[in-house]
């Protein structure tokens, strides 16, 4: 018993430390989200650098292509927006690559590597989840913004002005980032490996959705708002708005035609992205929580 | 003066049921301030579930958890969990880390998350890293660390925010003897600093060496919780290891010892060829232990070692409690099946 009393005296110093601790409350919760995000950004710096290199290479290839065309006698488009559009034709693919590589590891990496960050997290799993999501979204957005800045730069050189529609397109691209990132996080919540989450997410986006969308266009005129790649079309489709058609009807055989949807409306894209992202993220969180409890 | 030790964590009627399994069943446990409590049990006994309940990662089906804060035991709820759990540092078995991070980065993050004063974090990280002799590794990537070093960093990650209580799940599993010893020394050092340590382990020797009390859990039920000495006295089963100098004939010496102390023994004497010691089974009464020693010395036995091995004692107590619990559990299952059939 004497032992215990001695130890109690010794813990006096520890309790002094406890009193100096930051107070619990909203400020500390936000601080924790910020700390997790900051750590996550630092941890993924290499990935961000690689994706920026990929963006730069993609941009350089487009520049070479454009310069080749001009060298062959083709003329520079009259409108700077038309010139800018040529550089962002492939932006959907860049978003897909970057969002899957960021989102793929967000949850599964800790189960895969058995880090204590998930099993016995230092903070509530909600804050851990939000912090990681925000950090990965910001890094992803930064990569896309970087690409748009390169495009803006070349447009500025050629035309001494940057069309506003380029920034509208950037806004849609960032919204598409949110959608793909949320979708990949859903896979990350239940897959066994990061590679699995990335591959499945890529395969569904590049193959499965396109197949379903094509089949649906043959049998129905329903707008494919369920299909994630469809939302990428507004990134370039916005250049033709509000005049451009949103769909085309193509006759195949007599009495039978298919409806080819070109791009969603701004309202449809906004609402669709918001609903789908919310559903994906909420499902991912619930699966993650359930998985952690096992 | 009240000599009753101060309770720092209290688990009251704690029960956790999953779909078809009761992982923790009516667990009542008091953890005293400044002690090392060894938490033992076979795989699937409910150790990790109990720890997850304490960490508020799982919600108990029934029961309550109380943690001492500001001199009062406060019930752990979803509203005060951040506040109360700041008092505890958790470590899971075999912690892994992101390979590209350094101990400084990782420990700084954990200290920040747990609200350690920001202006003191650098000093705190350096201080605890120094405590485990890894100062020269503070800025090296964790991917280059050995398992023992990673385990030390794991313990530091639970310790960096200076909690009063440490909950450690199998901190020595999978380590070589040197690393195990280093961790054991570290835990004793932490105890001497006033930390309360709740330690789950399969390594009975490690628990026996450092724990003030042991709690044994089996099939989710706490089957024993006390000091080793008290458990020994309750079980009335122990054995003394006796090593003699210059022993010529083992059989003859054995018979001679048996003759001298037969009245104190609960079973016949055994001779352990590997450790070259006689094992004298008795009821664990310290009075008898003293008398046995006295009789042997008075009769000219040249004793060079006379011990009740804590690890062996714990092992036999552990096995005794677990097998008893297995029996009870099987009987209960049989009865339950019968009732089901009747229904």
């Amino acid at each position: 018993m004497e032992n215990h009393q001695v130890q109690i005296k010794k813990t006096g110093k520890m309790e002094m430390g406890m009193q100096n601790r930051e107070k619990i409350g909203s400020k500390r919760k936000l601080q924790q989200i910020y700390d997790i995000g900051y750590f996550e950004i630092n941890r993924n710096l290499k990935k961000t650098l690689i994706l920026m290199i990929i963006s730069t290479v993609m941009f350089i290839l487009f520049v070479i292509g454009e310069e080749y065309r001009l060298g062959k006698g083709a003329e520079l488009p009259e409108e700077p927006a038309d010139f800018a559009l040529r550089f962002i034709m492939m932006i959907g693919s860049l978003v897909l690559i970057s969002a899957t590589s960021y989102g793929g590891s967000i949850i599964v990496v800790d189960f895969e590597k058995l880090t204590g960050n998930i099993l016995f997290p230092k903070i509530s799993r909600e804050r851990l989840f939000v912090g990681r999501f925000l950090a990965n979204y910001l890094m992803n957005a930064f990569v896309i913004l970087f690409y748009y800045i390169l495009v803006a730069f070349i447009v500025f050189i050629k035309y001494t002005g940057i069309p506003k529609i380029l920034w509208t397109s950037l806004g849609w691209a960032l919204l598409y980032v949110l959608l793909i990132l949320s979708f990949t996080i859903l896979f990350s919540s239940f897959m066994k490996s990061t590679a699995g989450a990335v591959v499945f997410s890529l395969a569904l986006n590049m193959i499965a959705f396109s197949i379903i969308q094509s089949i649906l266009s043959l049998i129905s005129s329903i707008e494919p708002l369920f299909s994630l790649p469809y939302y990428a079309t507004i990134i370039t489709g916005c250049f033709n708005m509000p005049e451009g058609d949103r769909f085309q009807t193509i006759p195949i055989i007599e009495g039978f035609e298919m409806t080819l949807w070109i791009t969603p409306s701004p309202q449809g894209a906004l609402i669709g992205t918001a609903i789908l992202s919310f559903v994906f993220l909420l499902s991912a969180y619930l699966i993650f929580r359930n998985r952690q409890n096992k | 003066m009240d000599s009753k030790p101060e309770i720092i964590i209290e688990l009251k009627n704690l029960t956790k049921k999953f779909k078809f399994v009761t992982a923790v069943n009516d667990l009542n446990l008091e953890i005293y301030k400044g002690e090392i409590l060894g938490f033992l049990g076979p795989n699937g006994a409910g150790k990790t579930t109990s720890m997850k309940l304490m960490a508020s990662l799982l919600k108990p089906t029934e029961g309550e958890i109380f943690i001492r804060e500001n001199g009062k035991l406060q019930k752990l709820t979803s509203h005060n969990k951040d506040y109360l759990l700041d008092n505890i540092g958790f470590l899971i078995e075999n912690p892994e880390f992101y390979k590209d991070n350094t101990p400084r980065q990782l420990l700084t993050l954990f200290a920040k998350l747990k609200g350690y004063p920001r202006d003191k974090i650098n000093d705190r990280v350096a201080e605890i890293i120094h405590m485990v002799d890894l100062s020269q590794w503070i800025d090296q990537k964790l991917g280059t660390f050995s398992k023992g070093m990673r385990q030390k960093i794991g313990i530091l990650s639970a310790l960096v925010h200076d909690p009063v209580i440490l909950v450690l799940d199998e901190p020595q599993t999978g380590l070589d003897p040197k690393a195990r010893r280093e961790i054991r020394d570290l835990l004793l050092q932490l105890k001497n600093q006033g930390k309360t340590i709740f330690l789950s382990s399969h390594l009975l020797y490690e628990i026996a060496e450092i724990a003030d009390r042991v709690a044994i859990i089996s099939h989710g039920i706490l089957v024993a919780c006390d000091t080793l000495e008290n458990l020994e006295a309750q079980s009335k089963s122990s054995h003394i290891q006796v090593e003699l100098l210059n022993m010529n004939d083992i059989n003859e010496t054995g018979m001679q010892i048996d003759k001298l102390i037969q009245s104190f023994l609960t079973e016949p004497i055994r001779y352990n060829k590997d450790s070259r010691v006689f094992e004298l089974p008795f009821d664990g009464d310290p009075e008898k232990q003293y008398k046995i020693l006295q009789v042997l010395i008075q009769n000219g036995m040249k004793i060079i070692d006379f011990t009740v091995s804590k690890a062996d004692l714990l092992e036999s107590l552990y096995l005794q409690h677990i097998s008893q619990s297995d029996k009870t559990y099987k009987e209960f299952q049989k009865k339950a099946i019968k009732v089901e059939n009747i229904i």
Side-chain angles (χ1 to χ4, degrees), chain B residues 208-230:
Chain B
E209 281 297 302
I210 59 173
D212 298 298
R213 292 190 303 144
V214 289
I216 301 174
I217 187 169
S218 178
H219 302 292
I221 297 168
L222 188 72
V223 290
C225 181
D226 214 323
T227 61
L228 262 182
E229 291 73 20
N230 288 346

Side-chain angles (χ1 to χ4, degrees), chain B residues 130-146:
Chain B
H130 178 71
M131 200 164 82
V132 293
D133 290 331
L134 287 177
S135 296
Q136 70 275 31
W137 291 83
I138 193 166
D139 291 316
Q140 302 296 317
K141 288 188 174 173
L142 285 157
T144 62
F145 281 35
S146 71

Side-chain angles (χ1 to χ4, degrees), chain A residues 199-264:
Chain A
V199 169
F200 267 84
S201 183
L202 273 176
L204 281 173
N205 274 293
M206 293 173 85
I207 305 165
F209 278 126
S210 307
I211 293 172
I212 298 168
Q213 206 177 317
S214 303
I215 294 169
L216 197 75
S217 68
L218 290 171
I219 55 172
S220 147
S221 59
I222 292 172
E223 189 175 5
L225 286 168
F226 64 88
S227 171
L228 307 196
Y230 179 59
Y231 289 90
T233 56
I234 197 167
I235 301 172
T236 49
C238 69
F239 281 79
N240 302 320
M241 284 177 182
E243 289 86 13
D245 290 334
R246 286 189 48 234
F247 63 88
Q248 283 176 348
T249 311
I250 305 167
I252 301 174
I253 48 171
E254 211 177 301
F256 190 75
E257 54 190 25
M258 66 183 279
T259 311
L260 201 63
W261 285 90
I262 299 165
T263 185

